[in-house]
Amino acid sequence: MLCQLVDANAPDTSVLKQAGEVIRRGGLVAFPTETVYGLGADALNDEAVARVYKAKGRPADNPLIWHVNNVTELEKITRLSAETSSVVEQLAKAFWPGPLTLVLNRKDEINGIARKTGTNETIAVRIPSHPVARALISASGCIIAAPSANVSGKPSPTQAAHVLEDFSASNDIEMVLDGGATQNGLESTVLDLHQEGKITLLRPGAITLEMLKNVVGEVSVIAGGTESVEIEGAPLSPGMKYRHYAPKAPLFLITGYPETAIAQEICKRAKTSQKAGILATTQTLHIYDNLPESNIFVLGNRKKPENMAQDLFSCLRNFDALGVEIIFVEGVDEDGIGTAIMNRLRKAAVEVIKV
Ligand code: TXA
Ligand code: MG
């Protein structure tokens, strides 16, 4: 596996040409996006896509996101009614390129394994803004199918080092483009538009529910932070039914109000636990003063949830590296990007405890 440093804002043309060549001949390239690192393959090459599934250990019924550079490319692979087309146009104007994925009806001929859902005729598409992601799509001349570049179930990678951590023993990835830490830190918002006249949020992200409602009006919510991971029957988004984002040690998410009560509860539990790791916030750090043996990290300032989102996965991975045996994480307010943070934490948790 070749790890190549690239300038995130002005990626080197010759490196990108080489990476594009790898994709074109069916190889896998890990690359930065504005959300998390993706593990990219030519979406129309079933052998290449199969290697992505194998490398990640990803369940075969969980489809991948297709990355394109503009709406014209999107229209080549999707079948849009006049109404949906106008919604896509409004969303594109407001949020693309950027961290938004749309689930749309696919064209009949777009039928590779990257889109296999077993349940419907849809495809998830996104137009990323990260210059390296965009340059890779252009250089390859392909549509790039890319899940997050982590082993299935682990926290998504927000740095190239995380990708190397997960795949150093694997021969499946030919190249990693290291463009530094990603900006959002959480995966894209996934919005389902495949049913005429119905807009459903499947995965919260940096494009928040409030932002979406401002553009398209009514949006139903499936995967809001308060929703259970298990959906009755077939999940709308196959990724919803699996435990995700999880570090090795069992993670306990403590929620409630006020935040000092959360921290006090964690203190109580950590005192009776071996090698506890604690994810605190600026506002509560002083409460942990009497816990010398714990590994206490500050996720960030509750007043700056964007920064907490950016660092969340890297903090969770850090606990793995430290070998902690139990993890306590403070819940945050579930509005704006906080909804996405809590969505990931609920899926990573073995138990959510309300104080
Ligand atoms: O920010 C992101 O979205 C990153 C970067 C690399 O673009 N990618 C990412 O991919 O997070 P992944 O595979 O980790 O998550 C894709 C999510 C899964 O929950 C999957 O079930 C859902 O999108 N998905 C994909 N195709 C779908 C479809 N046709 N219908 C419903 N959900 C779909
Ligand atoms: Mg993922």
Side-chain angles (χ1 to χ4, degrees):
M1 177 184 334
L2 175 66
C3 187
Q4 195 76 61
L5 275 177
V6 285
D7 183 330
N9 295 312
D12 185 292
T13 324
S14 66
V15 173
L16 265 293
K17 197 167 162 238
Q18 196 190 345
E21 184 57 37
V22 172
I23 296 280
R24 206 162 37 242
R25 55 175 172 68
L28 310 190
V29 177
F31 63 98
T33 80
E34 66 278 21
T35 58
V36 299
Y37 274 72
L39 180 55
D42 174 359
L44 296 172
N45 179 335
D46 277 0
E47 268 172 43
V49 174
R51 230 172 292 133
V52 171
Y53 279 83
K54 174 176 159 269
K56 278 183 65 91
R58 185 178 177 103
D61 65 351
N62 194 2
L64 309 182
I65 295 175
W66 295 43
H67 297 70
V68 297
N69 266 347
N70 52 58
V71 174
T72 311
E73 286 177 41
L74 175 144
E75 283 169 346
K76 286 185 195 153
I77 53 177
T78 56
R79 193 164 36 82
L80 308 178
S81 67
E83 188 185 333
T84 307
S85 196
S86 117
V87 177
V88 170
E89 200 178 303
Q90 291 168 51
L91 289 167
K93 192 162 168 244
F95 306 119
W96 273 343
L100 176 67
T101 296
L102 299 183
V103 173
L104 300 164
N105 288 307
R106 65 172 170 88
K107 283 233 165 92
D108 288 344
E109 64 269 30
I110 298 302
N111 201 18
I113 60 170
R115 64 139 292 271
K116 191 160 92 185
T117 66
T119 52
N120 58 40
E121 298 300 298
T122 59
I123 185 175
V125 192
R126 140 166 150 77
I127 301 181
S129 62
H130 196 293
V132 175
R134 298 186 65 77
L136 183 63
I137 296 168
S138 301
S140 67
C142 298
I143 299 167
I144 297 189
S148 49
N150 53 284
V151 165
S152 222
K154 295 225 340 180
S156 294
T158 55
Q159 299 168 23
H162 300 158
V163 180
L164 300 178
E165 226 166 71
D166 280 16
F167 294 107
S168 58
S170 153
N171 292 321
D172 293 307
I173 304 181
E174 271 185 55
M175 200 169 175
V176 180
L177 298 173
D178 181 353
T182 61
Q183 196 193 339
N184 296 145
L186 299 179
E187 307 82 353
S188 62
T189 302
V190 179
L191 196 64
D192 187 353
L193 301 183
H194 89 278
Q195 279 173 292
E196 188 85 35
K198 187 158 184 269
I199 303 178
T200 311
L201 179 65
L202 299 181
R203 181 172 72 183
I207 308 293
T208 65
L209 184 62
E210 294 82 349
M211 291 160 77
L212 293 167
K213 282 184 174 166
N214 278 338
V215 173
V216 297
E218 202 184 327
V219 177
S220 330
V221 177
I222 295 286
T226 54
E227 296 282 339
S228 148
V229 180
E230 297 295 336
I231 312 276
E232 282 288 315
L236 286 176
S237 196
M240 287 172 155
K241 70 183 175 191
Y242 300 105
R243 185 165 178 248
H244 266 323
Y245 319 117
K248 285 186 197 130
L251 186 155
F252 291 81
L253 173 62
I254 318 293
T255 67
Y257 185 83
E259 57 256 28
T260 46
I262 297 178
Q264 275 149 7
E265 177 66 24
I266 293 179
C267 277
K268 202 172 79 197
R269 287 170 180 267
K271 270 187 194 132
T272 58
S273 307
Q274 291 283 316
K275 287 199 86 176
I278 295 172
L279 210 46
T281 52
T282 315
Q283 281 78 2
T284 56
L285 185 60
H286 65 279
I287 296 175
Y288 299 99
D289 272 356
N290 297 326
L291 281 180
E293 287 191 57
S294 299
N295 294 296
I296 303 168
F297 290 88
V298 177
L299 176 57
N301 186 331
R302 288 172 175 270
K303 298 207 172 92
K304 296 194 171 150
E306 296 76 20
N307 296 353
M308 292 200 276
Q310 211 170 24
D311 291 340
L312 177 65
F313 287 145
S314 137
C315 283
L316 295 184
R317 279 179 178 266
N318 215 0
F319 285 133
D320 280 351
L322 290 166
V324 304
E325 284 167 12
I326 187 167
I327 298 169
F328 297 103
V329 181
E330 292 180 13
V332 299
D333 288 346
E334 294 192 56
D335 52 28
I337 184 88
T339 307
I341 295 175
M342 288 297 279
N343 168 272
R344 306 310 190 268
L345 284 172
R346 283 176 196 281
K347 290 189 183 189
V350 294
E351 198 180 336
V352 182
I353 297 149
K354 198 160 189 297
V355 295

